[in-house]
Amino acid sequence: MLDFLRKRKRSWIITFLLGIIIVVFVAFYGGTQFQDSGVLHIGTVNGEIITQREFAQRYQQEVNRYRDLFKGSLTPDMLKSLNLEAMLIEDLINKKLALQEARRLGITITDDELALAIAKAPEFQISGSFNKGRYLQLLGANKISPAEFEDEQREQLMLQRLYEVVMDAVRITDAQLQERFRFAQEKINLNFIRLPLDDFTASVKLTEDEINNFYQRNQAMLKEPPKVQVEYLAYPFDKFSAAVKIPDHEIEDYYKANRDAKFRKPRQAKVKYISLRLAPDAAAKEKEAVKARAARIVADARGGKDFNQIIKEVSADPASASGGDAGWVVQGQLPPQLENTVFSLAKGQVSDAIDAPGGLQIVKVEDIKEEKTESVKEAGAEITKTLTAEKAKRAAAAAADRDREKALSGVDFAKLAGESASSVNVTRMFANGEVLPEIGQSQEFYKNAFALDAKGISPIVEGNAAYYLLRLKQKKEAAVPPLAEIRPKIEQNITGSKAQDLLAHKAKTLLEQLRKEKNIARLAEQNGLKLDETGLFVRGAGQLPKIGELQDSTTRGIPVSAQNPIADKVYKQKDAAYIIAFKSSEPADMTRFEHEKDTLKKQTLSEAQQRVVKKFIDGLKAKADIRTQNLGVGES
């Protein structure tokens, strides 16, 4: 799983969806362990500082993303193996370089453009419209000033505009598409010899000296981090709900105070759209041609041609592969021109071409939900649930507060649990960065657990579904376990490493022999190995029949042919190595080219744009003065 993530964690797509998409960084700024270290720096790019705060914000965001992905099973070792520190530092360097180049080229974002982008963010809206009070409240809650937030947004919009300019120069010819289609859709049959790692593992013999030497030389790697075990009282909010009663007048008061904000549902439209690419600096002739094409598309759609089919055939947006579906859009959340157009259409109608960033767009309204405000009766169940949860939470806090006072005076946790609606529990030993399934993602719980001394009682800790009181049960300092305790782990490590070396040597020897003899069947026979074949499959397939996915292979397939029948290298999986040779092929069905041309062009264009952006950044990097220092963050 981690191999899969590492392969893909650097991939990116710049997407447009009915106008400029803003990245809202509110959650991004809060709650990081480095929050007060913004004055420090981790490097410079052409003399411009990358602060430790910039890095910490990105690092914490990525850690939280992986924690959500692994749902509580992300360990410090797994986190370390992702090498987030190096990846994020590189991203920050790339960002600095790109911003410097954008400024050199005179790319700017006006105050009006910035204001429009921020106003579109749903996080800052009430009833579909931008609300300044909510904007300031959210920023204040996350301890970030409006100036700091707006500077970040301005930079993001500048980067988007710069990359649009860089990517606009990419062109894909029909000849390139035909060659790619011919190669990728050719069917090939491969001969292969599989060398399982297990065959070599069984032959590995370990000596006591090897085990002892590994133990002595790898103390840093074998050292386990500090761990704690805590006893805690839990006050689940739902346990206090049964005693809560909500009178009618409180429901009515809540409804009156929140009717517009929570119970008025603005008008919504279910939208599908077509994007036609057009650079802002395109020549007048090109603009006229694209507008004429848009007019023909509108006429076809209004004349009854299936809109979904048109999307697949002509739309330049990546979302076209999934039907160009924007989903339900809410009135008040779109840029003014789109807003006016979309909500002037009736169900089933198709718009004229609309000017948008990067080109033209044509939208179709699939369905309409009219504005509606729920009555107090309709909203009653939801309000009761909300008020019950609020009161139950306050009751849980009050109970925890009373018990903490008693615990500080010496009352045992077990006795306190018997007297209240709490329960006493004991965790297993855990390290900083681990997530306990019974607690979940509650950073305050873990922070307080590691801050406790032998006789201390934690403050009241708020979790996702309960309050907690913690007491330290035992603490284990960072240390290397005795050899006897971790001997199986060491033996497995050495055995695996030696087996991989034996496998690599054998595979290399066989490949060299094959290059001389040119006959994989004879090679297999001479070495007592099984020869197999994949059977015909499309060359561009990610999974090879009977083999699966290989390390270091690409979507373009393994480069073998009748002219060059022997694979250029040994291909590997985690538990095997493969010697591969061409056996036969079946040419691509070129009659399908025209049908798949548009989809292939979008894919090829996207890949080419990514390569161009990478080359652009690499060019800036080659001329830049870049200085960094290692933080060691991922090792904690």
Side-chain angles (χ1 to χ4, degrees), residues 504-541:
H505 177 74
K506 180 66 173 179
K508 181 181 178 183
T509 301
L510 289 171
L511 183 59
E512 289 172 354
Q513 185 180 344
L514 177 60
R515 284 172 177 160
K516 292 176 183 177
E517 298 191 0
K518 312 293 185 185
N519 190 319
I520 194 170
R522 188 181 305 126
L523 177 74
E525 183 179 357
Q526 290 173 349
N527 290 273
L529 299 169
K530 179 185 176 184
L531 180 65
D532 205 344
E533 63 180 270
T534 59
L536 286 169
F537 68 97
V538 176
R539 183 187 286 274

mmCIF file of all heavy atoms in Angstrom, residues 504-541:
data_model
loop_
_atom_site.group_PDB
_atom_site.id
_atom_site.type_symbol
_atom_site.label_atom_id
_atom_site.label_comp_id
_atom_site.label_asym_id
_atom_site.label_seq_id
_atom_site.Cartn_x
_atom_site.Cartn_y
_atom_site.Cartn_z
ATOM 1 N N ALA A 504 18.766 -11.053 -6.901
ATOM 2 C CA ALA A 504 19.249 -10.070 -7.875
ATOM 3 C C ALA A 504 20.431 -10.630 -8.664
ATOM 4 O O ALA A 504 20.519 -10.452 -9.894
ATOM 5 C CB ALA A 504 19.648 -8.779 -7.171
ATOM 6 N N HIS A 505 21.340 -11.327 -7.991
ATOM 7 C CA HIS A 505 22.514 -11.894 -8.669
ATOM 8 C C HIS A 505 22.097 -12.976 -9.668
ATOM 9 O O HIS A 505 22.583 -13.001 -10.808
ATOM 10 C CB HIS A 505 23.478 -12.476 -7.635
ATOM 11 C CG HIS A 505 24.674 -13.141 -8.251
ATOM 12 N ND1 HIS A 505 25.704 -12.427 -8.824
ATOM 13 C CD2 HIS A 505 24.998 -14.472 -8.389
ATOM 14 C CE1 HIS A 505 26.608 -13.272 -9.306
ATOM 15 N NE2 HIS A 505 26.209 -14.509 -9.052
ATOM 16 N N LYS A 506 21.185 -13.855 -9.250
ATOM 17 C CA LYS A 506 20.725 -14.930 -10.129
ATOM 18 C C LYS A 506 20.006 -14.352 -11.356
ATOM 19 O O LYS A 506 20.240 -14.790 -12.498
ATOM 20 C CB LYS A 506 19.788 -15.853 -9.360
ATOM 21 C CG LYS A 506 19.230 -17.018 -10.178
ATOM 22 C CD LYS A 506 20.315 -17.987 -10.599
ATOM 23 C CE LYS A 506 19.733 -19.222 -11.258
ATOM 24 N NZ LYS A 506 20.777 -20.174 -11.705
ATOM 25 N N ALA A 507 19.136 -13.376 -11.131
ATOM 26 C CA ALA A 507 18.381 -12.779 -12.233
ATOM 27 C C ALA A 507 19.316 -12.077 -13.214
ATOM 28 O O ALA A 507 19.148 -12.188 -14.442
ATOM 29 C CB ALA A 507 17.349 -11.800 -11.691
ATOM 30 N N LYS A 508 20.297 -11.366 -12.697
ATOM 31 C CA LYS A 508 21.258 -10.671 -13.573
ATOM 32 C C LYS A 508 22.046 -11.674 -14.405
ATOM 33 O O LYS A 508 22.257 -11.465 -15.616
ATOM 34 C CB LYS A 508 22.194 -9.828 -12.711
ATOM 35 C CG LYS A 508 23.214 -9.039 -13.518
ATOM 36 C CD LYS A 508 24.122 -8.233 -12.598
ATOM 37 C CE LYS A 508 25.186 -7.482 -13.423
ATOM 38 N NZ LYS A 508 26.121 -6.741 -12.543
ATOM 39 N N THR A 509 22.467 -12.779 -13.778
ATOM 40 C CA THR A 509 23.216 -13.813 -14.490
ATOM 41 C C THR A 509 22.381 -14.421 -15.622
ATOM 42 O O THR A 509 22.861 -14.627 -16.738
ATOM 43 C CB THR A 509 23.655 -14.913 -13.513
ATOM 44 O OG1 THR A 509 24.466 -14.331 -12.484
ATOM 45 C CG2 THR A 509 24.456 -16.000 -14.225
ATOM 46 N N LEU A 510 21.106 -14.687 -15.322
ATOM 47 C CA LEU A 510 20.217 -15.269 -16.334
ATOM 48 C C LEU A 510 19.980 -14.303 -17.487
ATOM 49 O O LEU A 510 19.934 -14.718 -18.659
ATOM 50 C CB LEU A 510 18.887 -15.671 -15.698
ATOM 51 C CG LEU A 510 18.924 -16.884 -14.762
ATOM 52 C CD1 LEU A 510 17.597 -17.036 -14.038
ATOM 53 C CD2 LEU A 510 19.263 -18.163 -15.528
ATOM 54 N N LEU A 511 19.804 -13.036 -17.181
ATOM 55 C CA LEU A 511 19.566 -12.051 -18.239
ATOM 56 C C LEU A 511 20.795 -11.929 -19.145
ATOM 57 O O LEU A 511 20.667 -11.833 -20.380
ATOM 58 C CB LEU A 511 19.211 -10.690 -17.629
ATOM 59 C CG LEU A 511 18.861 -9.575 -18.626
ATOM 60 C CD1 LEU A 511 17.672 -9.979 -19.499
ATOM 61 C CD2 LEU A 511 18.572 -8.262 -17.904
ATOM 62 N N GLU A 512 21.984 -11.938 -18.560
ATOM 63 C CA GLU A 512 23.208 -11.882 -19.368
ATOM 64 C C GLU A 512 23.321 -13.115 -20.271
ATOM 65 O O GLU A 512 23.723 -13.015 -21.438
ATOM 66 C CB GLU A 512 24.427 -11.766 -18.450
ATOM 67 C CG GLU A 512 24.535 -10.409 -17.767
ATOM 68 C CD GLU A 512 25.636 -10.367 -16.715
ATOM 69 O OE1 GLU A 512 26.234 -11.436 -16.435
ATOM 70 O OE2 GLU A 512 25.890 -9.274 -16.180
ATOM 71 N N GLN A 513 22.957 -14.281 -19.724
ATOM 72 C CA GLN A 513 22.995 -15.516 -20.516
ATOM 73 C C GLN A 513 21.988 -15.438 -21.665
ATOM 74 O O GLN A 513 22.282 -15.851 -22.800
ATOM 75 C CB GLN A 513 22.686 -16.715 -19.614
ATOM 76 C CG GLN A 513 22.819 -18.067 -20.301
ATOM 77 C CD GLN A 513 22.501 -19.215 -19.359
ATOM 78 O OE1 GLN A 513 22.459 -19.045 -18.126
ATOM 79 N NE2 GLN A 513 22.261 -20.393 -19.916
ATOM 80 N N LEU A 514 20.798 -14.880 -21.393
ATOM 81 C CA LEU A 514 19.767 -14.760 -22.421
ATOM 82 C C LEU A 514 20.210 -13.824 -23.543
ATOM 83 O O LEU A 514 19.942 -14.071 -24.724
ATOM 84 C CB LEU A 514 18.460 -14.267 -21.793
ATOM 85 C CG LEU A 514 17.289 -14.028 -22.748
ATOM 86 C CD1 LEU A 514 16.921 -15.316 -23.488
ATOM 87 C CD2 LEU A 514 16.078 -13.488 -21.984
ATOM 88 N N ARG A 515 20.895 -12.772 -23.209
ATOM 89 C CA ARG A 515 21.360 -11.825 -24.222
ATOM 90 C C ARG A 515 22.361 -12.489 -25.183
ATOM 91 O O ARG A 515 22.449 -12.121 -26.355
ATOM 92 C CB ARG A 515 21.996 -10.608 -23.549
ATOM 93 C CG ARG A 515 20.972 -9.658 -22.951
ATOM 94 C CD ARG A 515 21.625 -8.577 -22.120
ATOM 95 N NE ARG A 515 20.633 -7.627 -21.615
ATOM 96 C CZ ARG A 515 20.842 -6.816 -20.580
ATOM 97 N NH1 ARG A 515 22.003 -6.848 -19.938
ATOM 98 N NH2 ARG A 515 19.896 -5.988 -20.194
ATOM 99 N N LYS A 516 23.094 -13.456 -24.663
ATOM 100 C CA LYS A 516 24.056 -14.163 -25.511
ATOM 101 C C LYS A 516 23.365 -15.226 -26.367
ATOM 102 O O LYS A 516 23.625 -15.351 -27.559
ATOM 103 C CB LYS A 516 25.138 -14.824 -24.645
ATOM 104 C CG LYS A 516 26.062 -13.832 -23.942
ATOM 105 C CD LYS A 516 27.037 -14.566 -23.023
ATOM 106 C CE LYS A 516 27.916 -13.579 -22.259
ATOM 107 N NZ LYS A 516 28.821 -14.286 -21.302
ATOM 108 N N GLU A 517 22.482 -16.004 -25.760
ATOM 109 C CA GLU A 517 21.867 -17.143 -26.447
ATOM 110 C C GLU A 517 20.630 -16.768 -27.257
ATOM 111 O O GLU A 517 20.232 -17.501 -28.176
ATOM 112 C CB GLU A 517 21.513 -18.238 -25.437
ATOM 113 C CG GLU A 517 22.733 -18.805 -24.723
ATOM 114 C CD GLU A 517 22.403 -20.052 -23.935
ATOM 115 O OE1 GLU A 517 21.226 -20.462 -23.945
ATOM 116 O OE2 GLU A 517 23.310 -20.611 -23.315
ATOM 117 N N LYS A 518 19.939 -15.675 -26.885
ATOM 118 C CA LYS A 518 18.764 -15.173 -27.618
ATOM 119 C C LYS A 518 17.570 -16.130 -27.598
ATOM 120 O O LYS A 518 16.668 -15.984 -28.404
ATOM 121 C CB LYS A 518 19.112 -14.888 -29.093
ATOM 122 C CG LYS A 518 20.361 -14.081 -29.328
ATOM 123 C CD LYS A 518 20.232 -12.671 -28.843
ATOM 124 C CE LYS A 518 21.465 -11.845 -29.207
ATOM 125 N NZ LYS A 518 21.424 -10.478 -28.653
ATOM 126 N N ASN A 519 17.560 -17.123 -26.692
ATOM 127 C CA ASN A 519 16.479 -18.115 -26.686
ATOM 128 C C ASN A 519 16.038 -18.372 -25.248
ATOM 129 O O ASN A 519 16.725 -19.068 -24.499
ATOM 130 C CB ASN A 519 16.955 -19.413 -27.343
ATOM 131 C CG ASN A 519 15.814 -20.382 -27.578
ATOM 132 O OD1 ASN A 519 14.929 -20.552 -26.738
ATOM 133 N ND2 ASN A 519 15.821 -21.031 -28.746
ATOM 134 N N ILE A 520 14.896 -17.812 -24.847
ATOM 135 C CA ILE A 520 14.461 -17.915 -23.463
ATOM 136 C C ILE A 520 13.992 -19.322 -23.110
ATOM 137 O O ILE A 520 14.118 -19.759 -21.965
ATOM 138 C CB ILE A 520 13.356 -16.866 -23.144
ATOM 139 C CG1 ILE A 520 13.167 -16.739 -21.628
ATOM 140 C CG2 ILE A 520 12.058 -17.200 -23.858
ATOM 141 C CD1 ILE A 520 12.279 -15.574 -21.206
ATOM 142 N N ALA A 521 13.479 -20.077 -24.106
ATOM 143 C CA ALA A 521 13.055 -21.458 -23.845
ATOM 144 C C ALA A 521 14.262 -22.328 -23.491
ATOM 145 O O ALA A 521 14.227 -23.134 -22.549
ATOM 146 C CB ALA A 521 12.325 -22.024 -25.055
ATOM 147 N N ARG A 522 15.371 -22.157 -24.251
ATOM 148 C CA ARG A 522 16.578 -22.920 -23.968
ATOM 149 C C ARG A 522 17.162 -22.511 -22.612
ATOM 150 O O ARG A 522 17.657 -23.345 -21.845
ATOM 151 C CB ARG A 522 17.612 -22.697 -25.074
ATOM 152 C CG ARG A 522 18.841 -23.610 -24.943
ATOM 153 C CD ARG A 522 19.875 -23.350 -26.043
ATOM 154 N NE ARG A 522 19.266 -23.475 -27.359
ATOM 155 C CZ ARG A 522 19.309 -22.537 -28.289
ATOM 156 N NH1 ARG A 522 19.930 -21.400 -28.054
ATOM 157 N NH2 ARG A 522 18.741 -22.735 -29.468
ATOM 158 N N LEU A 523 17.090 -21.204 -22.307
ATOM 159 C CA LEU A 523 17.589 -20.708 -21.021
ATOM 160 C C LEU A 523 16.857 -21.385 -19.865
ATOM 161 O O LEU A 523 17.472 -21.830 -18.891
ATOM 162 C CB LEU A 523 17.399 -19.187 -20.938
ATOM 163 C CG LEU A 523 17.800 -18.526 -19.616
ATOM 164 C CD1 LEU A 523 19.316 -18.456 -19.489
ATOM 165 C CD2 LEU A 523 17.209 -17.120 -19.504
ATOM 166 N N ALA A 524 15.533 -21.450 -19.962
ATOM 167 C CA ALA A 524 14.740 -22.077 -18.908
ATOM 168 C C ALA A 524 15.093 -23.550 -18.764
ATOM 169 O O ALA A 524 15.258 -24.065 -17.641
ATOM 170 C CB ALA A 524 13.254 -21.909 -19.205
ATOM 171 N N GLU A 525 15.216 -24.251 -19.885
ATOM 172 C CA GLU A 525 15.516 -25.686 -19.856
ATOM 173 C C GLU A 525 16.890 -25.949 -19.226
ATOM 174 O O GLU A 525 17.049 -26.843 -18.396
ATOM 175 C CB GLU A 525 15.467 -26.250 -21.277
ATOM 176 C CG GLU A 525 15.691 -27.741 -21.346
ATOM 177 C CD GLU A 525 15.624 -28.271 -22.768
ATOM 178 O OE1 GLU A 525 15.349 -27.477 -23.685
ATOM 179 O OE2 GLU A 525 15.862 -29.471 -22.958
ATOM 180 N N GLN A 526 17.900 -25.175 -19.621
ATOM 181 C CA GLN A 526 19.255 -25.367 -19.114
ATOM 182 C C GLN A 526 19.361 -25.125 -17.617
ATOM 183 O O GLN A 526 20.202 -25.721 -16.944
ATOM 184 C CB GLN A 526 20.221 -24.435 -19.859
ATOM 185 C CG GLN A 526 20.452 -24.814 -21.313
ATOM 186 C CD GLN A 526 21.282 -23.762 -22.036
ATOM 187 O OE1 GLN A 526 21.516 -22.669 -21.514
ATOM 188 N NE2 GLN A 526 21.733 -24.108 -23.247
ATOM 189 N N ASN A 527 18.492 -24.265 -17.082
ATOM 190 C CA ASN A 527 18.581 -23.909 -15.667
ATOM 191 C C ASN A 527 17.477 -24.542 -14.820
ATOM 192 O O ASN A 527 17.319 -24.193 -13.651
ATOM 193 C CB ASN A 527 18.535 -22.380 -15.518
ATOM 194 C CG ASN A 527 19.792 -21.707 -16.041
ATOM 195 O OD1 ASN A 527 20.768 -21.563 -15.322
ATOM 196 N ND2 ASN A 527 19.748 -21.281 -17.311
ATOM 197 N N GLY A 528 16.722 -25.452 -15.429
ATOM 198 C CA GLY A 528 15.677 -26.133 -14.676
ATOM 199 C C GLY A 528 14.583 -25.212 -14.184
ATOM 200 O O GLY A 528 14.048 -25.406 -13.084
ATOM 201 N N LEU A 529 14.243 -24.216 -14.996
ATOM 202 C CA LEU A 529 13.242 -23.223 -14.602
ATOM 203 C C LEU A 529 11.986 -23.355 -15.459
ATOM 204 O O LEU A 529 12.041 -23.834 -16.594
ATOM 205 C CB LEU A 529 13.814 -21.808 -14.747
ATOM 206 C CG LEU A 529 15.036 -21.503 -13.880
ATOM 207 C CD1 LEU A 529 15.668 -20.184 -14.306
ATOM 208 C CD2 LEU A 529 14.654 -21.460 -12.391
ATOM 209 N N LYS A 530 10.876 -22.905 -14.928
ATOM 210 C CA LYS A 530 9.610 -22.972 -15.649
ATOM 211 C C LYS A 530 9.470 -21.767 -16.571
ATOM 212 O O LYS A 530 9.639 -20.620 -16.146
ATOM 213 C CB LYS A 530 8.437 -23.005 -14.664
ATOM 214 C CG LYS A 530 7.072 -23.049 -15.345
ATOM 215 C CD LYS A 530 5.942 -22.949 -14.321
ATOM 216 C CE LYS A 530 4.589 -22.905 -15.021
ATOM 217 N NZ LYS A 530 3.473 -22.722 -14.066
ATOM 218 N N LEU A 531 9.146 -22.029 -17.842
ATOM 219 C CA LEU A 531 8.872 -20.962 -18.801
ATOM 220 C C LEU A 531 7.361 -20.809 -18.937
ATOM 221 O O LEU A 531 6.643 -21.779 -19.114
ATOM 222 C CB LEU A 531 9.476 -21.293 -20.162
ATOM 223 C CG LEU A 531 9.243 -20.243 -21.264
ATOM 224 C CD1 LEU A 531 9.947 -18.939 -20.921
ATOM 225 C CD2 LEU A 531 9.718 -20.762 -22.616
ATOM 226 N N ASP A 532 6.892 -19.583 -18.851
ATOM 227 C CA ASP A 532 5.455 -19.313 -18.972
ATOM 228 C C ASP A 532 5.248 -18.196 -19.977
ATOM 229 O O ASP A 532 6.208 -17.548 -20.418
ATOM 230 C CB ASP A 532 4.879 -18.933 -17.602
ATOM 231 C CG ASP A 532 3.390 -19.220 -17.490
ATOM 232 O OD1 ASP A 532 2.744 -19.430 -18.544
ATOM 233 O OD2 ASP A 532 2.878 -19.242 -16.361
ATOM 234 N N GLU A 533 4.013 -17.948 -20.351
ATOM 235 C CA GLU A 533 3.709 -16.845 -21.249
ATOM 236 C C GLU A 533 2.443 -16.143 -20.791
ATOM 237 O O GLU A 533 1.559 -16.734 -20.173
ATOM 238 C CB GLU A 533 3.565 -17.332 -22.682
ATOM 239 C CG GLU A 533 2.430 -18.309 -22.929
ATOM 240 C CD GLU A 533 2.367 -18.753 -24.386
ATOM 241 O OE1 GLU A 533 1.665 -18.065 -25.157
ATOM 242 O OE2 GLU A 533 3.019 -19.745 -24.728
ATOM 243 N N THR A 534 2.365 -14.858 -21.084
ATOM 244 C CA THR A 534 1.230 -14.054 -20.622
ATOM 245 C C THR A 534 -0.024 -14.310 -21.445
ATOM 246 O O THR A 534 -1.143 -14.163 -20.960
ATOM 247 C CB THR A 534 1.553 -12.557 -20.721
ATOM 248 O OG1 THR A 534 1.865 -12.230 -22.082
ATOM 249 C CG2 THR A 534 2.724 -12.196 -19.829
ATOM 250 N N GLY A 535 0.141 -14.679 -22.721
ATOM 251 C CA GLY A 535 -0.973 -14.644 -23.644
ATOM 252 C C GLY A 535 -1.114 -13.223 -24.165
ATOM 253 O O GLY A 535 -0.549 -12.266 -23.615
ATOM 254 N N LEU A 536 -1.841 -13.023 -25.232
ATOM 255 C CA LEU A 536 -1.972 -11.700 -25.835
ATOM 256 C C LEU A 536 -2.696 -10.731 -24.892
ATOM 257 O O LEU A 536 -3.712 -11.063 -24.291
ATOM 258 C CB LEU A 536 -2.739 -11.785 -27.155
ATOM 259 C CG LEU A 536 -1.961 -12.394 -28.332
ATOM 260 C CD1 LEU A 536 -2.902 -12.664 -29.499
ATOM 261 C CD2 LEU A 536 -0.819 -11.474 -28.771
ATOM 262 N N PHE A 537 -2.150 -9.532 -24.758
ATOM 263 C CA PHE A 537 -2.785 -8.465 -23.966
ATOM 264 C C PHE A 537 -2.378 -7.130 -24.566
ATOM 265 O O PHE A 537 -1.376 -7.019 -25.284
ATOM 266 C CB PHE A 537 -2.386 -8.557 -22.495
ATOM 267 C CG PHE A 537 -0.933 -8.242 -22.229
ATOM 268 C CD1 PHE A 537 -0.535 -6.978 -21.816
ATOM 269 C CD2 PHE A 537 0.047 -9.218 -22.395
ATOM 270 C CE1 PHE A 537 0.797 -6.682 -21.582
ATOM 271 C CE2 PHE A 537 1.382 -8.936 -22.153
ATOM 272 C CZ PHE A 537 1.768 -7.659 -21.741
ATOM 273 N N VAL A 538 -3.162 -6.103 -24.266
ATOM 274 C CA VAL A 538 -2.866 -4.769 -24.787
ATOM 275 C C VAL A 538 -1.607 -4.242 -24.120
ATOM 276 O O VAL A 538 -1.499 -4.228 -22.893
ATOM 277 C CB VAL A 538 -4.054 -3.814 -24.543
ATOM 278 C CG1 VAL A 538 -3.704 -2.398 -24.996
ATOM 279 C CG2 VAL A 538 -5.283 -4.308 -25.287
ATOM 280 N N ARG A 539 -0.664 -3.788 -24.935
ATOM 281 C CA ARG A 539 0.647 -3.397 -24.422
ATOM 282 C C ARG A 539 0.563 -2.354 -23.304
ATOM 283 O O ARG A 539 1.324 -2.395 -22.339
ATOM 284 C CB ARG A 539 1.499 -2.838 -25.561
ATOM 285 C CG ARG A 539 2.907 -2.478 -25.148
ATOM 286 C CD ARG A 539 3.645 -1.767 -26.269
ATOM 287 N NE ARG A 539 4.043 -2.656 -27.343
ATOM 288 C CZ ARG A 539 5.176 -3.364 -27.351
ATOM 289 N NH1 ARG A 539 5.991 -3.301 -26.318
ATOM 290 N NH2 ARG A 539 5.473 -4.127 -28.378
ATOM 291 N N GLY A 540 -0.348 -1.429 -23.415
ATOM 292 C CA GLY A 540 -0.422 -0.349 -22.435
ATOM 293 C C GLY A 540 -1.103 -0.710 -21.137
ATOM 294 O O GLY A 540 -1.274 0.147 -20.267
ATOM 295 N N ALA A 541 -1.501 -1.960 -20.965
ATOM 296 C CA ALA A 541 -2.203 -2.362 -19.742
ATOM 297 C C ALA A 541 -1.287 -2.233 -18.530
ATOM 298 O O ALA A 541 -0.099 -2.562 -18.588
ATOM 299 C CB ALA A 541 -2.692 -3.805 -19.872
#
